[in-house]
Amino acid sequence: MHSMISTQIEENLSSLILKNHDGSEVTVKDYHSNIAIVCVSLYCVYCVDLLPHLKELSEVSSYHFIVLANGETDDHKEMIEYFGWEFPLVLMEYEQMDDIFGMNELPFVLFLNEGKIVQSGVVHKPEDFHFLLKKAG
């Protein structure tokens, strides 16, 4: 699955510093193993439908989740409390997600192992996530 685009995304991620909902910094380098970066929009029906499943998906996979979502800080706090999320939730607008990951549709997930992309794709429902997770190995 490796290409020049994948290499460029990996380089972008290696130096990217994200702000978690609580103001703490999150970097891909903080995680030394498997990471699933999940990109969603609060204005996307498929994304909103996927939100209730993220906690369970994070619990059944060996990947550490980082969720990137647009919206407001208050929206993020409410989602964390309502869904009981314990993974980082980063405020990021769609345009910035697209600039970093080169995706063209949401919700989108990027699986990384040791900082290298092992799988990525659009995830409309939990079954899509499991399909990509199986391919990621």
Side-chain angles (χ1 to χ4, degrees):
M1 144 126 227
H2 231 269
S3 66
M4 285 181 51
I5 294 170
S6 296
T7 302
Q8 182 62 46
I9 292 169
E10 291 165 0
E11 288 174 8
N12 290 345
L13 287 173
S14 68
S15 61
L16 188 65
I17 299 172
L18 304 167
K19 286 280 189 195
N20 196 4
H21 69 280
D22 62 5
S24 63
E25 290 184 350
V26 177
T27 67
V28 171
K29 291 187 283 187
D30 291 340
Y31 302 93
H32 301 290
S33 59
N34 300 335
I35 303 169
I37 299 175
V38 182
C39 302
V40 296
S41 168
L42 301 184
Y43 310 109
C44 158
V45 173
Y46 288 118
C47 299
V48 172
D49 288 346
L50 186 65
L51 295 178
H53 302 282
L54 292 180
K55 182 176 181 177
E56 179 186 348
L57 292 172
S58 73
E59 291 171 347
V60 299
S61 80
S62 62
Y63 283 78
H64 300 279
F65 274 41
I66 299 174
V67 176
L68 310 178
N70 62 358
E72 302 294 327
T73 304
D74 290 342
D75 298 329
H76 286 205
K77 289 178 182 174
E78 287 179 26
M79 288 189 301
I80 289 165
E81 289 175 18
Y82 183 79
F83 294 119
W85 293 344
E86 296 181 9
F87 42 76
L89 176 59
V90 175
L91 179 61
M92 185 178 287
E93 294 302 322
Y94 172 79
E95 292 78 14
Q96 188 179 4
M97 292 180 215
D98 186 35
D99 287 346
I100 295 169
F101 304 113
M103 65 201 184
N104 57 9
E105 189 176 344
L106 293 175
F108 184 83
V109 66
L110 189 73
F111 293 99
L112 299 154
N113 185 313
E114 303 290 333
K116 301 290 183 197
I117 298 169
V118 293
Q119 193 57 248
S120 64
V122 175
V123 180
H124 287 157
K125 53 190 180 287
E127 295 81 9
D128 298 338
F129 181 91
H130 289 294
F131 174 77
L132 290 173
L133 181 62
K134 187 175 181 179
K135 288 179 71 176

